[in-house]
Amino acid sequence: MNGNAALAYKAQQVNSANPAQIVFMLYEKAIIHLRDVIAKGESKDVMGRCESNCLAQEIIFQLMDALDHEAAPDFAARMDKLYRFCINHLVSIDIVGKTQPAQDVIDLLIPLRESWKQLAEKSSEELRVEMRKAHTSQLNQALGNAGFSGNGYQPAPQQNTSYSQEQESVPPRTGISVSI
């Protein structure tokens, strides 16, 4: 496959991916760059190590920018701290010249990548159901914490299927810009 065809294929993969697939791809690419940091560090390729490190950091910054602090403030704050730790840890690679921080960050990102992989493998409808369950659970917990009793919140059933089909045709906003 020539270079242009490979780039077109990758662009098509990204353009047709749902948000969970995009996040999974970002984690996957960050881990690939970090493994490259280690390999280039072992071969004493300082420029190559630095370039791969910068690419991994760029991806982590994109993941930070994609956090939705309004929809899930506690989760977003914890992930922001984790991403900041990763960035600071990776900066030390170029200062000290050791690649162990890259392995440390890989060890942190792998479980996150696997979680997003599981989400990415679900169909769009399965994702909607899972998200609806999670939101209902969070709302029920919030209602319980506020002193409301009873069955809690139950989402209204979808009645207008043409509306949901129209919704599916609009790509979800992820806040992630991906360059291949």
Side-chain angles (χ1 to χ4, degrees), residues 120-147:
E121 290 171 349
K122 294 181 183 260
S123 70
S124 295
E125 182 58 32
E126 287 174 311
L127 280 174
R128 270 195 294 284
V129 169
E130 291 294 323
M131 289 172 64
R132 194 174 302 128
K133 284 181 190 175
H135 287 293
T136 301
S137 173
Q138 289 170 351
L139 186 53
N140 283 334
Q141 182 179 3
L143 289 171
N145 291 343

Side-chain angles (χ1 to χ4, degrees), residues 37-48:
V37 166
I38 295 168
K40 290 185 176 176
E42 290 170 356
S43 69
K44 308 292 186 218
D45 179 0
V46 175
M47 292 300 292

Side-chain angles (χ1 to χ4, degrees), residues 51-172:
E51 183 179 314
S52 294
N53 192 17
C54 288
L55 291 169
Q57 288 178 50
E58 168 110 9
I59 292 170
I60 294 170
F61 276 122
Q62 289 178 353
L63 289 165
M64 282 175 66
D65 288 342
L67 292 172
D68 190 344
H69 291 273
E70 290 180 20
D74 292 337
F75 174 77
R78 286 192 305 262
M79 292 304 294
D80 187 76
K81 285 180 184 178
L82 176 72
Y83 292 146
R84 288 181 191 281
F85 170 81
C86 291
I87 295 295
N88 289 335
H89 213 51
L90 294 176
V91 166
S92 72
I93 292 171
D94 294 328
I95 295 170
V96 179
K98 305 262 188 228
T99 59
Q100 182 58 43
Q103 185 60 53
D104 296 342
V105 173
I106 289 170
D107 294 342
L108 289 171
L109 296 182
I110 285 177
L112 295 169
R113 179 197 62 190
E114 293 308 307
S115 296
W116 282 101
K117 181 180 181 183
Q118 290 174 5
L119 283 174
E121 290 171 349
K122 294 181 183 260
S123 70
S124 295
E125 182 58 32
E126 287 174 311
L127 280 174
R128 270 195 294 284
V129 169
E130 291 294 323
M131 289 172 64
R132 194 174 302 128
K133 284 181 190 175
H135 287 293
T136 301
S137 173
Q138 289 170 351
L139 186 53
N140 283 334
Q141 182 179 3
L143 289 171
N145 291 343
F148 290 95
S149 60
N151 293 336
Y153 170 76
Q154 296 296 322
Q158 284 188 318
Q159 296 175 0
N160 185 348
T161 58
S162 64
Y163 175 74
S164 64
Q165 288 174 347
E166 289 174 25
Q167 245 181 346
E168 284 186 42
S169 66
V170 177

